[in-house]
Amino acid sequence: MRSSIGRRISLSIFIVIFLTVLIFEIVFVMGVNEFYYGGALGILSDKALSSANFYNMYLRYEGLYNKASTIMGNYEEYDKAELQIVDIDGNIIMSSTGYLHTEKLDVSLMRNLEVGEIYSWQGRINITGEEVIAVSTPLIEGNSIVGYLRFVSSIQEIKASVRDLISKAIFLGVFILVLSLILAVALSRSIVRPIRHLTDVSRNIAGGNFDIVARKKYDDEIGELADTINFMTNEIKKSNNLKNDFVSSISHEIRTPLTSIRGWAETLSENSIDTEETKQGIGIILNESVRLTKLVEELLDFSRFESGRINMNFEKVDLNLLIKDILKQYSIKFESKSLQIVSSLDQNITYVNGDGDRLKQVFINIIDNALKFSHEKGMIKVTTASTFKGANVIIEDNGTGIPSSELPHITEKFYKGKSKQAGSGLGLSISKEIISLHKGTFYIDSVEGKGTKVSIGLI
Ligand SMILES: Nc1ncnc2c1ncn2[C@@H]1O[C@H](COP(=O)(O)OP(=O)(O)O)[C@@H](O)[C@H]1O
Ligand SMILES: [Mg+2]
């Protein structure tokens, strides 16, 4: 594992599981010990106490040796426990095994015992080396302690069982640790791998490869990041396309008028031309300069809209008056194409709230399009109608119309479709922006070969 986040994840998971397993093992070992040793000790103690109690009561005034003989006589060896009678000095005077230990017991700790109390000991028998537990409890004669009743039991078997259980538990613990380590590594990989993939993708994008797609495996935070990266590359691609569209569309739009200006300027610089031609040339130079100025203004507007630096001056606008002005302004152009202009203006409209200059710009753009895409002797119809909230303006023509494949795109920036007409492709896009800043509605219907209808709703 090279990456540190993967190592951190697997390490922390491993540490948590390790500690859990460790605590579990400790508790388990303690529990097993308590259960086995404690259990064995409990049984022996109960046995010792009940026997001692019994004989202390019924043989209270018998001497130790007499007591011992009776006790031994009645003892049945169930539990492989050895029963011993020990005198006050620690000599084992009788044993249920018959074997008399020569060794003396250390009774210093038993001396403090009261009747009915137990002293327990765990250790090794010196001669056999066997591990045992022993419990001792006092025997009395009259009122004084004269010896002890002692049970001794081997714990070899218990030890073996305990050891067996503990080793099984340790084995299980190690198994869990190994398994958890594998799972932790797998988990951290499953997190780190997609991150690494996204890093690769980002690096590619930074290097200019915008066609790369970030893979999304799960619908989690990393998947969301992949989506965001893909969205980002798409946006970059779009803005790249916009830039390319801009350059190709605008350089064409600039070149055409420049070519004719230059051509006429060259022609005019030759002295031999007549006044008629001079007039025509200057007229064209003027027209083309106007066209260039209009283009530059559209570009400036475009950049203002793009950067959001557009100021609207809202005021009360007389829509009908505005439309009448524009139609008057365009009358010569309409005549030159022999267009029939039909206007139907609703006198009920009072005022709408808007930026007069910007609204004028919108209607000019649309009427300009209608003019541009109309056939000779065509018809343009301008209608205004008051509505519940404000007013509608509808501008219709029976010109070329727009192919249905182009219709969804015509309000995109720099989009001109198949049109060979002069224009930046910005007019409708700017118009739509302006209307949306007025919180108005903007619809275009068109049938190719039949005509186009632009409807604008204002409030
Ligand atoms: N009235 C219309 N009739 C036919 N086509 C139109 C009309 N208005 C717009 N279009 C189409 O929509 C395109 C975009 O229009 P616009 O944004 O005004 O740009 P431009 O006029 O500079 O070409 C035009 O190039 C043309 O293809
Ligand atoms: Mg236009």
Side-chain angles (χ1 to χ4, degrees):
M1 257 185 298
R2 175 169 55 92
S3 78
S4 64
I5 186 171
R7 204 181 307 139
R8 282 205 306 271
I9 292 171
S10 21
L11 198 67
S12 40
I13 293 175
F14 182 73
I15 286 175
V16 169
I17 294 179
F18 177 78
L19 289 178
T20 312
V21 167
L22 191 71
I23 290 170
F24 171 77
E25 296 275 336
I26 290 172
V27 169
F28 181 77
V29 167
M30 278 162 47
V32 162
N33 272 321
E34 172 58 29
F35 180 74
Y36 278 85
Y37 293 113
L41 202 63
I43 291 171
L44 275 192
S45 306
D46 284 352
K47 229 154 71 161
L49 279 179
S50 61
S51 315
N53 228 0
F54 181 79
Y55 294 114
N56 279 342
M57 199 163 2
Y58 292 101
L59 306 175
R60 182 159 188 169
Y61 298 103
E62 298 279 340
L64 187 62
Y65 278 86
N66 286 346
K67 265 206 236 303
S69 313
T70 317
I71 292 171
M72 281 306 158
N74 291 337
Y75 181 61
E76 286 169 48
E77 214 168 328
Y78 299 113
D79 302 298
K80 295 180 207 140
E82 178 186 352
L83 171 60
Q84 299 173 340
I85 305 298
V86 183
D87 71 9
I88 197 81
D89 297 318
N91 299 306
I92 299 165
I93 56 168
M94 213 171 276
S95 160
S96 61
T97 58
Y99 172 73
L100 283 186
H101 303 256
T102 44
E103 234 180 299
K104 222 174 151 179
L105 293 179
D106 177 8
V107 284
S108 54
L109 288 169
M110 280 148 61
R111 288 240 161 84
N112 302 324
L113 281 181
E114 304 274 327
V115 175
E117 280 182 350
I118 287 281
Y119 167 72
S120 64
W121 174 81
Q122 181 176 342
R124 240 170 241 286
I125 294 177
N126 283 349
I127 312 164
T128 55
E130 196 179 12
E131 255 198 83
V132 296
I133 46 174
V135 297
S136 311
T137 187
L139 290 172
I140 49 170
E141 183 184 342
N143 282 329
S144 51
I145 293 172
V146 289
Y148 304 95
L149 185 142
R150 186 171 188 253
F151 277 109
V152 182
S153 174
S154 163
I155 51 168
Q156 284 311 64
E157 268 174 40
I158 291 178
K159 262 197 116 150
S161 308
V162 167
R163 208 177 293 133
D164 184 48
L165 270 177
I166 289 177
S167 63
K168 272 183 188 144
I170 288 176
F171 177 78
L172 189 72
V174 171
F175 177 74
I176 289 174
L177 283 185
V178 171
L179 196 72
S180 69
L181 190 65
I182 293 171
L183 285 180
V185 171
L187 175 73
S188 75
R189 285 228 175 120
S190 80
I191 293 170
V192 171
R193 201 176 300 136
I195 293 180
R196 217 174 272 161
H197 166 68
L198 292 184
T199 312
D200 279 350
V201 168
S202 309
R203 203 172 286 136
N204 260 285
I205 295 171
N209 175 6
F210 302 125
D211 290 322
I212 196 161
V213 175
R215 261 181 284 115
K216 175 181 177 180
K217 202 161 176 199
Y218 303 108
D219 210 359
D220 53 8
E221 288 83 348
I222 297 176
E224 205 181 318
L225 181 59
D227 280 345
T228 313
I229 289 180
N230 288 337
F231 178 72
M232 183 183 76
T233 39
N234 271 335
E235 288 299 300
I236 295 176
K237 271 204 293 210
K238 265 195 221 158
S239 89
N240 262 359
N241 287 343
L242 187 66
K243 187 188 72 189
N244 294 342
D245 288 351
F246 170 79
V247 172
S248 68
S249 152
I250 295 309
S251 31
H252 180 78
E253 286 309 308
I254 293 175
R255 196 180 53 196
T256 320
L258 276 184
T259 313
S260 84
I261 289 174
R262 183 175 165 185
W264 277 102
E266 272 167 4
T267 312
L268 293 178
S269 66
E270 292 159 18
N271 296 328
S272 58
I273 50 170
D274 57 44
T275 44
E276 194 53 39
E277 230 179 344
T278 309
K279 240 184 179 174
Q280 191 193 355
I282 287 175
I284 286 175
I285 289 176
L286 199 65
N287 272 342
E288 298 297 298
S289 314
V290 169
R291 200 168 130 186
L292 280 177
T293 312
K294 208 180 130 212
L295 178 68
V296 170
E297 258 154 27
E298 271 185 346
L299 287 178
L300 283 175
D301 267 348
F302 164 72
S303 94
R304 268 184 221 124
F305 275 110
E306 283 293 283
S307 58
R309 277 182 291 115
I310 189 88
N311 288 328
M312 305 292 275
N313 299 315
F314 282 89
E315 58 194 357
K316 281 186 171 169
V317 180
D318 184 339
L319 263 189
N320 287 339
L321 187 66
L322 193 75
I323 302 270
K324 268 186 231 155
D325 278 351
I326 298 171
L327 292 181
K328 203 184 283 166
Q329 189 184 323
Y330 267 73
S331 58
I332 298 170
K333 285 182 181 162
F334 291 144
E335 262 164 41
S336 69
K337 227 173 169 178
S338 315
L339 295 177
Q340 186 197 345
I341 305 302
V342 181
S343 66
S344 149
L345 307 182
D346 186 344
Q347 296 310 318
N348 291 328
I349 301 175
T350 46
Y351 295 97
V352 293
N353 192 24
D355 181 327
D357 289 339
R358 290 291 174 191
L359 286 179
K360 188 171 183 184
Q361 185 184 359
V362 171
F363 298 131
I364 285 183
N365 276 339
I366 293 161
I367 289 174
D368 199 61
N369 282 346
L371 173 77
K372 201 156 67 172
F373 296 101
S374 281
H375 309 293
E376 291 272 322
K377 299 202 176 75
M379 185 178 84
I380 294 177
K381 189 174 176 205
V382 183
T383 314
T384 61
S386 78
T387 60
F388 175 61
K389 278 182 165 178
N392 282 343
V393 180
I394 298 161
I395 298 165
E396 289 166 272
D397 65 66
N398 57 358
T400 61
I402 303 165
S404 53
S405 61
E406 292 184 4
L407 196 56
H409 303 291
I410 52 165
T411 53
E412 287 171 14
K413 293 143 192 152
F414 303 110
Y415 187 86
K416 290 177 65 181
K418 289 189 306 233
S419 155
K420 294 278 178 297
Q421 299 273 10
S424 62
L426 282 172
L428 289 181
S429 124
I430 291 176
S431 302
K432 198 179 170 188
E433 295 259 12
I434 292 174
I435 295 303
S436 93
L437 286 173
H438 281 80
K439 306 211 172 4
T441 54
F442 190 90
Y443 294 114
I444 302 177
D445 292 325
S446 188
V447 179
E448 189 174 12
K450 285 256 163 62
T452 305
K453 176 177 171 185
V454 182
S455 319
I456 289 171
L458 290 166
I459 49 176

